[in-house]
């Protein structure tokens, strides 16, 4: 059992899928939350969770929106202990079938959201001499899944941001890690699996355990690296992947 009691956590991309599961796990572990998403459903989630939680609706690839998010957290709670950069999602298709728009969207959603959030939150963490940054990356960066090149360019940037920031802030009580899932059974993925969709089956085929991860399995690792217990873990990309890459 990890201990997040009383910790103040920002979780991005929390309206649905893995981000929602992370918010539910953090609430159960006693954290107080600032949730953010493009999708207004994040407001209903904040109201329903069994903890103190507030929500911001906006596009986190825009710096001024992220500044508002940090301001909301600081005014409401006076500190920010944990930042979970979960906002993202792939536009998964063969590289030459991307358009300039889908390439930009892929980088905006996955890399700019994480970059701006780190850039705007870190001054508070430095002031506190305490912080836990947990990025949600992707195991496809390691195993080179088909059709993932553009997405991997974005998530590879997130993995690289992790090692660089971890080193830069290592002596200031701040850890920076990435949790890298393989395919996760979010409602969208599960629907395709239930339909026995051949496109999604190929991504399951590389997982030795023969099944996607659950959202709770990803949230569990995020909760651990966000906790005080993980005080000597930094600069790591930790796969939660049923063995789809090893080592
Ligand atoms: N589902 C998987 O199989 C899988 C595998 C590896 C990595 N991931 C990563 O895990 C994270 C969560 O994925 P998911 O499957 O739950 O996806 P999802 O699409 O269900 O959730 C992502 C959330 O991020 C939000 N978001 C996207 N861009 C945003 C922006 N610019 N500003 C604010 N919010 C934004 C979306 O509105 C959405 O609610 C993502 O970073 C994704 O890339 C997912």
């Amino acid at each position: 059992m990890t201990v997040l009691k009383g910790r103040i956590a920002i979780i991005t991309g929390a309206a649905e899928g893995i981000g929602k599961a992370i918010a539910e796990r953090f609430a159960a572990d006693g954290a107080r939350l600032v949730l953010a998403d493009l999708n207004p459903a994040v407001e209903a989630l904040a109201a329903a969770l069994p903890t103190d939680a507030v929500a911001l609706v906006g596009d986190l690839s825009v710096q001024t929106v992220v500044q508002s998010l940090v301001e909301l957290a600081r005014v409401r709670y006076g500190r920010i202990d944990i930042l979970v950069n979960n906002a993202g999602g792939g536009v998964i298709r063969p590289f030459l079938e991307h358009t300039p728009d889908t390439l930009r969207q892929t980088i905006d959603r996955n890399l700019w959201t994480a970059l701006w959030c780190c850039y705007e939150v870190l001054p508070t963490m430095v002031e506190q001499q305490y912080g836990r940054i947990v990025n949600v990356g992707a195991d496809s960066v390691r195993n080179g899944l088909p059709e993932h090149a553009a997405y991997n360019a974005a998530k590879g940037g997130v993995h690289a941001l992790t090692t660089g920031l971890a080193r830069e802030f290592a002596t200031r009580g701040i850890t920076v890690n990435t949790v890298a899932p393989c395919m996760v059974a979010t409602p969208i993925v599960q629907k395709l699996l239930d339909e026995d969709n051949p496109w999604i089956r190929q991504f399951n085929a590389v997982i030795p355990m023969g099944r996607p991860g659950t959202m709770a399995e990803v949230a569990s690792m995020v909760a651990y690296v966000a906790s005080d217990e993980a005080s000597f873990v930094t600069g790591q990309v930790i796969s939660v992947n049923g063995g789809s890459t090893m080592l």
Side-chain angles (χ1 to χ4, degrees), residues 117-225:
C117 286
C118 290
Y119 186 74
E120 295 297 340
V121 166
L122 272 163
T124 300
M125 290 182 169
V126 168
E127 202 178 291
Q128 298 165 175
Q129 294 284 294
Y130 182 90
R132 296 274 184 272
I133 296 179
V134 188
N135 301 315
V136 177
D139 207 47
S140 56
V141 174
R142 289 175 156 160
N143 66 16
L145 276 186
E147 304 185 14
H148 279 61
Y151 179 66
N152 286 349
K155 288 300 195 189
V158 171
H159 293 196
L161 181 68
T162 302
T163 54
L165 291 180
R167 182 171 296 278
E168 203 170 322
F169 293 92
T171 58
R172 286 179 267 189
I174 299 167
T175 65
V176 187
N177 292 288
T178 285
V179 171
C182 63
M183 188 167 72
V184 179
T186 58
I188 297 163
V189 168
Q190 191 58 54
K191 182 170 178 291
L192 291 170
L193 284 171
D194 292 346
E195 291 164 358
D196 206 19
N197 179 299
W199 182 76
I200 209 87
R201 266 205 327 255
Q202 68 182 318
F203 305 132
N204 203 37
V206 302
I207 304 173
M209 286 190 182
R211 66 165 179 89
T214 66
M215 295 184 285
E217 285 168 332
V218 178
S220 168
M221 182 60 80
V222 173
Y224 169 67
V225 283

Side-chain angles (χ1 to χ4, degrees), residues 20-38:
K20 183 177 176 191
I22 294 168
E24 289 168 345
R25 170 65 194 250
F26 275 37
D29 284 2
R32 291 184 289 162
L33 304 176
V34 183
L35 309 179
D37 205 296
L38 272 173

Side-chain angles (χ1 to χ4, degrees), residues 30 85 159 240:
N85 282 314
H159 293 196
V240 177

